[in-house]
């Protein structure tokens, strides 16, 4: 009996190691296929407004964000993990209008929106008006995976973040002098009252000029679309919204189908004046044109951006299909953007006339 048991255990051990070798051999023969594309906002980005240092800083920031997601995908991780990793890098970087560095409301607060959608399972999560959760994209994901809901807003959303153990910060964490100065300038132009400087923030002279990127204050939203080595496609977007927004204004970013959408074959993240993207359900319609009408993804993205322009909207989109086709489309003079796949190191671009795709 003991001899039989030993034989049984040995057989199991051998089968186990053979299986492990097969996995390794498969992984070695077939390189994992994956693609990631990101944006860091679209707007009036003029070469004349940009110093070479600033230009290089943006390109480095985009590359770092692509790298964070690529690392996940290269190791066989999921598109959702890659999207969260890339977006968290940009949420922590004050150069972007998401998380730290977000624009201010007219009342002088940061009010953050984010959404994520898993095209494979058709699940989605979104948050609006968050002010204490360090990574709004992580919260959107928690809504998708740990709540029965799709969208949570305001204090309730932050309370849910606490309940699932997500990192909380003081609202001053999101403060940057550059965005504060932009708010004051916008409020002065509009003749609106200037709110008190948020508690816990100190003026940092010079910080604003060093980070100035022209007179376009609305943009800088971040978004990522990715397909992983198992063909799972997803999209995510995170933003502080528009400068001097009032009355609890919410843009397209957390509105599933408008600023963020993923289906089984396609994923889109948008940036620009949200009011127009919501009316045209831009993200969902791009995927509809691609999936249902069989339109190549680049044409579908162009078609929706042209419709957006026709009703007075401005902005851009990144779009991706499960075969790894990437599209960038915008009607602004620039969109911070880039992509990578299993064969291509991160390629980034800023201005609309730059080619970033092969
Ligand atoms: N789409 C965002 C919003 O309207 C802003 C942006 O992309 O810059 O809230």
């Amino acid at each position: 009996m003991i001899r039989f048991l030993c034989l049984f255990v040995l057989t199991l051990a051998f089968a186990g190691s053979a299986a492990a070798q097969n996995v390794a051999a498969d992984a070695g023969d077939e390189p994992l296929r994956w693609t990631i594309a990101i944006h860091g906002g679209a707007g009036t980005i003029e070469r004349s407004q940009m110093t070479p240092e600033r230009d290089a800083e943006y390109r480095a920031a985009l590359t770092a964000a692509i790298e964070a997601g690529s690392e996940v995908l290269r190791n066989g991780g999921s598109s959702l993990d890659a999207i969260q990793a890339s977006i968290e890098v940009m949420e922590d970087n004050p150069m972007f209008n998401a998380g730290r560095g977000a624009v201010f409301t007219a009342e002088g607060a940061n009010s953050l929106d984010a959404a994520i959608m898993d095209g494979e399972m058709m699940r989605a999560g979104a948050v609006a008006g968050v002010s204490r959760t360090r990574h709004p994209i992580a919260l959107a994901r928690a809504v998708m995976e740990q709540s029965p809901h799709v969208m949570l807003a305001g204090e309730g959303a932050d309370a849910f973040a606490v309940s699932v153990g997500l990192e909380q910060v003081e609202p001053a964490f999101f403060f940057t002098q550059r965005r504060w100065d932009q708010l004051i300038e916008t409020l002065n132009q509009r003749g609106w009252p200037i709110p008190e400087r948020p508690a816990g923030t100190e003026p940092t002279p010079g910080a604003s000029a060093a980070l100035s990127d022209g007179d376009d204050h609305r943009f800088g939203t971040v978004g990522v679309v990715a397909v992983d080595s198992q063909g799972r496609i997803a999209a995510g977007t995170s933003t502080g919204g528009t400068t001097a927004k009032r009355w609890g204004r919410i843009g397209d970013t957390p509105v599933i189908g408008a600023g963020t959408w993923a289906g089984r074959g396609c994923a889109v993240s948008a940036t620009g004046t949200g009011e127009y993207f919501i009316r045209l359900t831009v993200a969902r319609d791009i995927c509809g044109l691609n999936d249902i009408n069989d339109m190549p993804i680049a044409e579908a993205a162009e078609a929706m951006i042209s419709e957006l322009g026709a009703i007075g909207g401005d902005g851009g989109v990144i779009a991706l299909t499960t075969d790894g086709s990437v599209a960038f489309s915008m009607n602004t003079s620039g969109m911070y953007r880039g992509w990578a796949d299993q064969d291509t190191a991160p390629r980034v671009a800023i201005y609309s006339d730059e080619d970033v795709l092969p």
Side-chain angles (χ1 to χ4, degrees):
M1 179 64 182
I2 287 178
R3 250 190 19 220
F4 173 76
L5 263 181
C6 285
L7 202 68
F8 182 67
V9 168
L10 271 176
T11 311
L12 273 185
F14 177 75
S17 87
Q21 273 167 16
N22 278 344
V23 169
D26 287 346
D29 294 348
E30 274 289 317
L32 300 178
R33 301 191 62 75
W34 51 266
T35 307
I36 184 168
I38 75 169
H39 70 75
T44 313
I45 310 167
E46 305 290 355
R47 283 186 174 86
S48 57
Q49 303 274 1
M50 190 81 93
T51 62
E53 296 74 31
R54 190 78 184 132
D55 184 285
E57 236 183 300
Y58 265 115
R59 289 175 199 270
L62 291 169
T63 304
I66 297 171
E67 259 311 324
S70 299
E71 180 67 11
V72 173
L73 296 167
R74 201 177 288 129
N75 291 319
S78 73
S79 49
L80 287 171
D81 283 345
I83 287 168
Q84 185 176 343
S86 283
I87 291 187
E88 287 190 1
V89 164
M90 292 188 279
E91 286 178 338
D92 280 344
N93 186 335
M95 295 170 85
F96 299 105
N97 173 19
R100 194 151 185 238
V103 300
F104 285 93
T105 65
E107 298 80 24
N110 297 115
S111 179
L112 312 169
D113 307 333
I116 197 160
M117 186 157 181
D118 167 4
E120 170 79 7
M121 306 298 289
M122 294 299 288
R123 298 178 301 169
V127 291
V130 168
S131 61
R132 289 187 167 271
T133 302
R134 176 170 176 177
H135 292 122
I137 194 66
L139 181 51
R141 187 166 176 190
V143 171
M144 175 173 83
E145 292 178 340
Q146 298 180 57
S147 90
H149 308 299
V150 167
M151 193 183 219
L152 300 180
E155 283 173 19
D158 280 319
F160 173 69
V162 172
S163 79
V164 293
L166 291 179
E167 184 178 350
Q168 300 295 288
V169 291
E170 286 303 315
F173 172 86
F174 300 112
F175 180 96
T176 54
Q177 186 65 41
R178 168 209 190 194
R179 294 301 191 186
W180 184 253
D181 290 350
Q182 288 176 347
L183 173 70
I184 306 298
E185 196 185 315
T186 305
L187 294 177
N188 281 333
Q189 279 163 5
R190 295 182 190 173
W192 294 357
I194 309 290
E196 257 182 51
R197 199 183 166 87
T201 64
E202 292 302 321
T204 45
S208 181
L211 288 170
S212 174
D213 57 359
D215 61 358
D216 192 329
H217 301 166
R218 292 171 299 158
F219 302 104
T221 291
V222 306
V224 180
V225 289
V227 58
D228 63 32
S229 54
Q230 293 181 44
R232 296 170 299 192
I233 195 163
T237 318
S238 181
T239 189
T242 49
T243 298
K245 61 186 181 180
R246 297 193 285 185
W247 304 314
R249 179 264 184 195
I250 295 164
D252 59 318
T253 297
V255 177
I256 298 300
T260 309
W261 204 80
R264 287 229 159 74
C266 169
V268 173
S269 170
T271 175
T273 309
E275 281 69 8
Y276 295 93
F277 285 78
I278 293 173
R279 277 178 265 176
L280 292 178
T281 56
V282 167
R284 171 68 182 96
D285 274 22
I286 290 174
C287 286
L289 288 174
N290 175 254
D291 279 353
I292 303 163
N293 299 24
D294 239 4
M295 195 183 272
I297 192 67
E299 266 177 52
E302 285 290 315
M304 286 312 297
I305 288 298
S306 133
E307 246 192 84
L308 183 88
I311 63 162
D314 52 353
V317 292
I318 54 172
L320 173 71
T321 50
T322 28
D323 64 0
S325 302
V326 177
F328 300 101
S329 181
M330 72 213 81
N331 65 4
T332 49
S333 57
M335 176 165 73
Y336 298 106
R337 62 197 186 279
W339 70 285
D341 67 15
Q342 71 287 335
D343 304 317
T344 319
R347 297 182 59 164
V348 300
I350 297 177
Y351 308 103
S352 57
D353 58 8
E354 275 181 88
D355 272 338
V356 68
L357 291 167

